[in-house]
Amino acid sequence: MSRSRQPPLVTGISPKEGTAWTKVTIRGENLGTGPADLVGLSICGHNCMLTAEWMSASKIVCRVGPAKDDKGEIIVTTKSGGLGTSTVSFKLLRPDRIGILEQSAVWVDEINYDMRRDRNKGLSPLSLGPSNPLGIEIDKGNIPQKDLELVFPGMSGDFTSENFAATCYLIENHAGSRSCHYRLFLHRTARCV
């Protein structure tokens, strides 16, 4: 007659805290006899089986999901040992959300911004756009505006516009580079097919 195995026991987790999708290493005893023996894994009440990698009877690696609880146990369940217990817990860190009306600190590199000299006029923060956000030489090229409007109807290369398109910006400001000509050709070809 075969003896039943001991239930899983989680004795360590590294790191002990982190945000959702943090990769963690779980250590313990009787954590299964193989990948097929592992039938359940939860951290702070969140099922982590989809990301679980069974490494050995004493080690499992997984990612912590967006758990309901801020702090909780690590529970391992195996076919051979059943529902386990844990002597350690994991703390889920929730990122601070900054709302539209909340203050936040922003570092502005004033060297790269076009600061207007007329201090009497009110300026919106969006008007203080970087003169060269990519930090590479501006090369306007020779692509006519009507061609851009034909290929990208209603789109703009102005990063403060509601209709901003990165492709338009690159073509308007860096059209001299070979890759921009190639991308415009591909986009034009795709629209004709």
Side-chain angles (χ1 to χ4, degrees):
M1 185 166 184
S2 66
R3 235 174 72 185
S4 67
R5 295 182 65 83
Q6 293 291 322
L9 173 63
V10 175
T11 57
I13 187 166
S14 178
K16 293 183 183 219
E17 62 182 27
T19 58
W21 308 118
T22 297
K23 190 173 187 177
V24 295
T25 300
I26 299 165
R27 301 251 180 216
E29 301 169 8
N30 306 313
L31 301 180
T33 58
D37 192 36
L38 182 65
V39 293
L41 173 60
S42 68
I43 299 175
C44 297
H46 183 268
N47 183 352
C48 300
M49 277 300 292
L50 287 177
T51 62
E53 292 180 62
W54 184 89
M55 308 303 255
S56 70
S58 60
K59 180 179 174 184
I60 299 172
V61 176
C62 73
R63 291 198 179 269
V64 177
K68 302 171 213 151
D69 305 323
D70 287 345
K71 190 169 187 176
E73 292 184 317
I74 301 93
I75 305 297
V76 175
T77 308
T78 61
K79 288 180 191 175
S80 61
L83 184 67
T85 56
S86 177
T87 62
V88 294
S89 61
F90 183 83
K91 181 179 180 184
L92 183 69
L93 302 176
R94 305 225 184 248
D96 292 334
R97 293 182 185 217
I98 298 174
I100 194 165
L101 298 177
E102 296 176 28
Q103 292 183 358
S104 64
V106 177
W107 180 270
V108 177
D109 184 3
E110 294 178 2
I111 294 171
N112 291 330
Y113 281 81
D114 179 18
M115 302 300 281
R116 309 295 194 259
R117 295 187 185 198
D118 188 356
R119 301 281 182 201
N120 296 328
K121 288 185 178 178
L123 295 173
S124 86
L126 292 176
S127 69
L128 299 175
S131 58
N132 186 1
L134 296 178
I136 58 177
E137 186 178 330
I138 301 257
D139 181 6
K140 294 287 186 182
N142 57 0
I143 298 175
Q145 190 65 31
K146 65 180 182 176
D147 284 352
L148 281 175
E149 289 171 6
L150 179 67
V151 176
F152 304 102
M155 302 313 288
S156 169
D158 177 8
F159 75 94
T160 62
S161 169
E162 270 185 31
N163 299 326
F164 172 74
T167 306
C168 288
Y169 176 84
L170 288 171
I171 292 171
E172 287 175 7
N173 294 288
H174 303 285
S177 74
R178 204 173 99 214
S179 63
C180 275
H181 281 296
Y182 181 65
R183 287 174 201 252
L184 182 60
F185 170 75
L186 287 178
H187 192 75
R188 226 186 242 164
T189 307
R191 287 180 55 91
C192 295
V193 174

